[in-house]
Amino acid sequence: MPVTEALAAMLGHAPAAPAVRGVALGEALGAILAEDVVATIDVPAQDNSAMDGYALRAADASRPLSVSQRIPAGTAPEPLAPGTAARIFTGAPIPAGADTVVMQEDCREEGGQLVIEATPAPGDHIRPRGQDLAAGSTVLRAGRRLKPQDLGLLASVGAASVAIYRPLKVAVVSTGDELVEPEDGAALRPGQLFNSNRYMLAALLEGLGMQVIDGGILPDDGPATGAAFERLAGEADCIISSGGVSVGEEDHVRAQVERLGELTLWRLAIKPGKPLAFGHVRGTPFIGLPGNPTSSFVTFCLLARPFLLKSQGASDWEPLAIPVRAGFSVARPGTRQDYLRVSLERQGDSLVARRFANQSSGVLSSVCFSDALAVVPVGATVCEGDLVEVLLLDSLA
């Protein structure tokens, strides 16, 4: 199945967003906003100065002025006396009667009077009331994944708490008799591998603000795999496994998913990551990722991530794609959509994608030391210098 069709099919099976709860603003980072937030005040609440300087009437700037008051930020000014200026500081409210601010660098004192050496216009260096947000306007819409700057914007309208969707609980399961957990100083026996996927997938999920249930390492055994899946289906909102979804005699994941529920899709026209499964176990969504670590990473980012974000209530799950010049070539058209790991470098006015030397699905360093995934569609070739679309890894993980 082509990648775009597989993603559409998965998104079509995304469940309704989880329950809504209120949290303190300081606890909302990374959460999905469940309700629109509407400003109850103007931001800023009054006209204020963008500079340290003097507030005055622009029409009075051509003659010496006396300084009638001093206005630090956080104080309430008196109306401006006619024919005078007010010493004002950045962020301080503009006094009634003033219509401009002159920077202090454009002013000098002479004989106890203020002399303006610039020709100001009304509105200069004044931040008008409601310039950022007007009362009654929508600050942020439901479905937005809250970023640090969003929390600042919410605080600016006085929001101390927000309504968010409950974080999804996602079970992470690794499969394979060859896997062991990392241990400082431990030596691997012949045929063993340290379990890298567990830590990578758990970190990707935590980066999405989701709660991880550690399902451990499952042996290459059908009944044990089925029992674990059935137990986790009752605890988690989604189960994600890595490994065991191919067609070998020791690959038991597919059979157990079909026994306990249904398999909606299996095997994609994608490289790396062909053996990917999606279905349900006792009604709980299940995503079976390939065991090879790079395949697991790429398929999580391209397919599991958008499915989970939509299931979490997010309105935007598409990665950032940009066109860059290819610093590589692909001579033979492929039968699967290829996601090459590339680094980006500036060359004159252009960004150029350089292919990581080893594109094997087992080489996890290819995503550690790359900046993006360069997309080579099915049946396409690439000549050096062609424009190719890349997906920035920072927008995926």
Side-chain angles (χ1 to χ4, degrees):
M1 182 181 290
V3 176
T4 52
E5 289 184 23
L7 179 57
M10 291 176 65
L11 293 177
H13 283 86
V20 176
R21 69 181 190 185
V23 297
L25 189 60
E27 300 172 6
L29 181 63
I32 306 297
L33 194 62
E35 298 173 358
D36 291 352
V37 178
V38 176
T40 57
I41 60 170
D42 292 322
V43 180
Q46 59 260 315
D47 295 352
N48 68 84
S49 179
M51 296 285 179
D52 289 350
Y54 294 87
L56 54 128
R57 294 179 180 87
D60 293 337
S62 59
R63 58 192 178 91
L65 302 171
S66 61
V67 178
S68 57
Q69 61 178 307
R70 185 175 184 273
I71 313 172
T75 61
E78 298 293 330
L80 185 68
T84 70
R87 179 72 167 116
I88 197 166
F89 297 88
T90 302
I94 303 296
D99 63 9
T100 192
V101 171
V102 180
M103 293 188 296
Q104 60 189 19
E105 295 91 336
D106 293 330
C107 304
R108 62 182 172 84
E109 185 180 341
E110 185 177 292
Q113 297 281 86
L114 182 71
V115 176
I116 310 298
E117 297 181 322
T119 305
D124 281 357
H125 306 306
I126 291 177
R127 295 184 289 218
R129 175 176 179 168
Q131 179 187 54
D132 193 357
L133 294 166
S137 65
T138 300
V139 182
L140 296 174
R141 295 198 178 276
R144 184 179 180 92
R145 186 161 175 253
L146 294 172
K147 297 178 278 192
Q149 57 267 42
D150 296 335
L151 302 190
L153 190 65
L154 291 168
S156 75
V157 297
S161 61
V162 289
I164 63 165
Y165 291 113
R166 171 187 63 77
L168 290 181
K169 298 176 182 177
V170 183
V172 175
V173 176
S174 305
T175 67
D177 290 336
E178 75 277 16
L179 296 178
V180 295
E181 291 300 330
E183 184 179 347
D184 290 337
L188 291 171
R189 295 199 301 270
Q192 287 186 328
L193 295 170
F194 287 126
N195 184 9
S196 58
N197 284 349
R198 171 193 172 190
Y199 295 89
M200 177 179 68
L201 294 173
L204 285 165
L205 291 164
E206 289 167 357
L208 294 176
M210 298 174 184
Q211 296 180 7
V212 177
I213 299 174
D214 183 11
I217 298 173
L218 301 183
D220 290 323
D221 177 82
T225 299
F229 284 175
E230 194 158 20
R231 172 179 59 82
L232 293 171
E235 300 176 9
D237 298 300
C238 182
I239 302 169
I240 293 182
S241 72
S242 65
V245 291
S246 194
V247 293
E249 293 180 6
E250 298 301 323
D251 295 320
H252 301 282
V253 169
R254 179 185 177 187
Q256 292 303 313
V257 172
E258 291 178 321
R259 184 180 69 83
L260 298 169
E262 61 177 348
L263 196 66
T264 304
L265 62 89
W266 177 65
R267 301 182 72 180
L268 306 185
I270 183 175
K271 183 182 179 182
K274 180 180 177 181
L276 180 136
F278 174 75
H280 291 81
V281 173
R282 299 291 191 233
T284 297
F286 167 84
I287 301 173
L289 303 176
N292 280 323
T294 300
S295 297
S296 188
F297 177 88
V298 170
T299 50
F300 178 93
C301 291
L302 298 178
L303 295 148
R305 177 183 180 275
F307 172 82
L308 291 168
L309 284 173
K310 185 176 181 184
S311 302
Q312 181 70 79
S315 57
D316 182 17
W317 51 81
E318 295 186 10
L320 178 62
I322 60 173
V324 303
R325 294 289 175 189
F328 58 88
S329 61
V330 177
R332 291 190 300 173
T335 58
R336 293 184 285 163
Q337 183 150 295
D338 203 351
Y339 292 86
L340 300 174
R341 278 73 72 203
V342 297
S343 57
L344 302 179
E345 62 181 53
R346 185 161 293 283
Q347 196 172 82
D349 294 332
S350 301
L351 279 177
V352 176
R354 303 290 184 192
R355 180 165 49 183
F356 191 82
N358 192 328
Q359 293 287 317
S360 168
S361 60
V363 178
L364 189 57
S365 56
S366 67
V367 289
C368 294
F369 302 113
S370 294
D371 302 308
L373 303 176
V375 184
V376 182
V378 173
T381 59
V382 178
C383 295
E384 192 165 342
D386 287 351
L387 279 177
V388 294
E389 184 180 77
V390 302
L391 308 176
L392 299 179
L393 288 178
D394 280 352
S395 74
L396 293 168

